[in-house]
Amino acid sequence: MSEKEDLAKQKAAAAAKAKAVALARKQAEAESTDAEDETDIAKQKAAAAAKAKAVALARKRAKEEAAEKPEGETDIAKQKAAAAAKAKAAALSRKRAKEEAAEKPEDETDIAKQKAAAAAKAKAAALARKQAKAESTDAEDETDMAKQKAVAAAKAKAAALARKQAKTESAEKPEDETDIAKQKAAAAAKAKAAALARKQAKEDATGKPEGEMDAAKQKAAAAAKAKAAAAAKAKAAAAKNRTAVKESEEVIVPSELSPNQSKLDQIVSAIESHLGQGALLEHYLNRLSKDVPTIVANPDTYFSIAKFLRYDEQLDFSYLSELHGTDFESHMEVYVHLHSFKMNQSVALKVKLDRESPVIPSLVSLWSGANWPECEAYDLLGINFYEHPDLKRILLGDDWKGYPLRKDYQPYDVEV
């Protein structure tokens, strides 16, 4: 490309710039002669027209240059044109903002600032009021929830106490009297729950101070616990009496001799000859379980008897089919069901434990099948099998409170 052509392009570019500046000045003069209410619209139109004209001029100029230049120079020219258009638009925008700020009086500016500050204060105050209202609502909801929980807990305790009382009474009465007693107990429990609910509602309505309400709740809880403990003691005493009667009935000799009697005599004779006369507390045929020979061991001789039954060559009770615990309220009991394939005979081994501290040796070293049943008895009844290889809770969590299969079990959370 010759020097004359470059000079001609530079002149064309300078002429275009001069024309754009003259047009902008002319547009500004025209806008200043318009009325005050049309100033903003005119400025916007002028700015838009100037931008459009500048963009059109830039595109036209870029197109002309692109037609004459190679591809590399065309890209550079486009980038320069775009940068120039952006710079021109930004300068025009700044100029317009400066003109508008200069035209506004100082009083209007101060008033606008004051309005903005007032709006911000009003918004902050509204937000604070909303937050305070939400907190007060949450506090009321928590208070109502606490009252509802207290009422539900009292109802659950009253219902549990009524069920225990009804069960105790029904165990001691004939069938006809039991039905009447159950109806009376149900009616009494309903009446008691209704009276308790009315009393609680009345106390809530009076609006006692928090300190008095807490003291009243504590007294009510203490009274309920004392009543439940008294009922449990009474029930345990009744159960003890029933157990004594039942055991005395079990030792009654039947009119017909069972075919398992000889097997029982053989097992008892072998145990007493090996471990002594005092090794067994009692022995009998369980009439409620197909005359299974049943032996009751002393806690001190429980493991020795089990070991003898397992390894004696004549008895050879090599299979443990069942192990579970039972709460009789007066005591705990562990029941072990064994089978000898050599004798083709089963035997039940029982041991009675102190209910407050039920502790007994583990049988896992003799029968591996005792592993999980002993864990289950520990989990649900609290029976401790010492020397167990891995005694743990297998149904409930480690943080569970109490043992659900105990007759006096009270849930840690009565609402669950």
Side-chain angles (χ1 to χ4, degrees):
M1 186 179 289
S2 63
E3 294 180 358
K4 290 183 179 180
E5 289 177 353
D6 291 338
L7 184 60
K9 286 182 180 179
Q10 291 174 2
K11 286 181 179 181
K17 287 182 181 179
K19 193 171 184 180
V21 172
L23 184 60
R25 282 200 299 270
K26 186 177 180 181
Q27 187 68 28
E29 290 176 1
E31 289 174 358
S32 64
T33 59
D34 294 338
E36 291 181 359
D37 54 347
E38 296 179 356
T39 300
D40 293 337
I41 297 172
K43 287 180 179 179
Q44 292 173 2
K45 288 182 178 180
K51 285 182 183 179
K53 197 161 188 178
V55 171
L57 186 61
R59 282 201 299 267
K60 185 177 180 181
R61 182 183 170 196
K63 192 174 181 181
E64 291 174 353
E65 291 178 355
E68 297 176 356
K69 291 182 180 180
E71 290 183 1
E73 294 182 4
T74 301
D75 293 337
I76 296 170
K78 286 182 179 179
Q79 292 174 3
K80 288 182 178 179
K86 285 183 181 178
K88 195 166 188 178
L92 187 61
S93 178
R94 286 195 298 272
K95 183 179 179 182
R96 184 184 170 200
K98 190 174 181 181
E99 289 175 355
E100 289 178 355
E103 290 175 0
K104 286 186 178 180
E106 293 182 0
D107 295 338
E108 290 183 5
T109 305
D110 294 337
I111 293 170
K113 289 181 180 179
Q114 292 173 3
K115 285 182 178 179
K121 286 182 181 178
K123 194 169 185 178
L127 185 61
R129 284 196 299 272
K130 186 176 180 181
Q131 185 69 23
K133 189 174 181 181
E135 290 176 357
S136 64
T137 304
D138 293 340
E140 290 177 1
D141 292 341
E142 289 178 3
T143 304
D144 293 338
M145 185 73 72
K147 290 178 181 178
Q148 291 173 4
K149 285 184 178 180
V151 172
K155 285 183 180 179
K157 284 186 178 177
L161 185 61
R163 286 196 299 271
K164 284 185 179 180
Q165 189 67 27
K167 191 175 179 181
T168 304
E169 293 176 357
S170 64
E172 298 174 354
K173 292 182 180 180
E175 292 182 1
D176 296 335
E177 294 182 4
T178 302
D179 294 336
I180 298 171
K182 285 182 179 179
Q183 294 173 2
K184 287 183 179 179
K190 287 182 181 178
K192 194 166 186 178
L196 186 61
R198 286 197 298 271
K199 184 178 179 182
Q200 187 67 29
K202 189 175 180 181
E203 289 178 355
D204 294 341
T206 55
K208 289 183 179 181
E210 291 183 2
E212 294 182 6
M213 287 179 69
D214 293 337
K217 287 179 181 178
Q218 291 174 1
K219 287 181 180 179
K225 286 183 180 178
K227 192 175 277 188
K233 286 181 181 178
K235 191 174 181 182
K240 192 172 183 180
N241 294 332
R242 290 197 302 273
T243 303
V245 173
K246 186 176 180 181
E247 289 176 353
S248 64
E249 291 175 353
E250 286 178 349
V251 297
I252 297 174
V253 179
S255 57
E256 296 181 2
L257 193 63
S258 171
N260 288 338
Q261 184 65 48
S262 60
K263 299 290 182 68
L264 175 62
D265 294 339
Q266 179 186 352
I267 295 170
V268 171
S269 176
I271 292 174
E272 289 181 345
S273 63
H274 183 75
L275 300 174
Q277 295 292 327
L280 294 175
L281 294 179
E282 59 178 314
H283 52 85
Y284 55 89
L285 296 176
N286 191 343
R287 301 294 176 183
L288 301 178
S289 183
K290 298 181 181 180
D291 289 354
V292 173
T294 303
I295 56 178
V296 181
N298 190 303
D300 296 334
T301 59
Y302 166 73
F303 185 81
S304 299
I305 293 172
K307 186 175 181 181
F308 178 74
L309 293 173
R310 172 69 179 86
Y311 293 113
D312 182 75
E313 293 181 358
Q314 299 298 322
L315 302 180
D316 192 23
F317 286 93
S318 59
Y319 177 62
L320 184 147
S321 61
E322 184 179 354
L323 187 152
H324 66 259
T326 307
D327 180 11
F328 284 94
E329 297 180 310
S330 59
H331 65 279
M332 290 283 185
E333 184 176 280
V334 173
Y335 177 94
V336 183
H337 194 88
L338 305 172
H339 185 78
S340 170
F341 295 99
K342 189 172 185 178
M343 295 178 63
N344 191 24
Q345 181 61 43
S346 296
V347 67
L349 172 62
K350 290 186 177 182
V351 60
K352 296 179 181 179
L353 306 175
D354 180 17
R355 193 173 185 277
E356 299 301 322
S357 57
V359 180
I360 199 71
S362 171
L363 299 182
V364 176
S365 60
L366 304 178
W367 295 279
S368 60
N371 190 337
W372 280 73
E374 288 183 350
C375 288
E376 184 180 21
Y378 166 75
D379 191 6
L380 301 178
L381 287 165
I383 300 174
N384 187 9
F385 296 88
Y386 65 86
E387 295 184 2
H388 188 285
D390 186 21
L391 192 63
K392 60 185 178 181
R393 302 195 97 145
I394 59 174
L395 299 174
L396 305 174
D398 292 335
D399 58 346
W400 189 274
K401 305 294 182 182
Y403 304 99
L405 287 189
R406 288 200 174 203
K407 298 296 177 63
D408 59 350
Y409 172 69
Q410 292 289 337
Y412 181 70
D413 187 350
V414 295
E415 296 178 8
V416 176

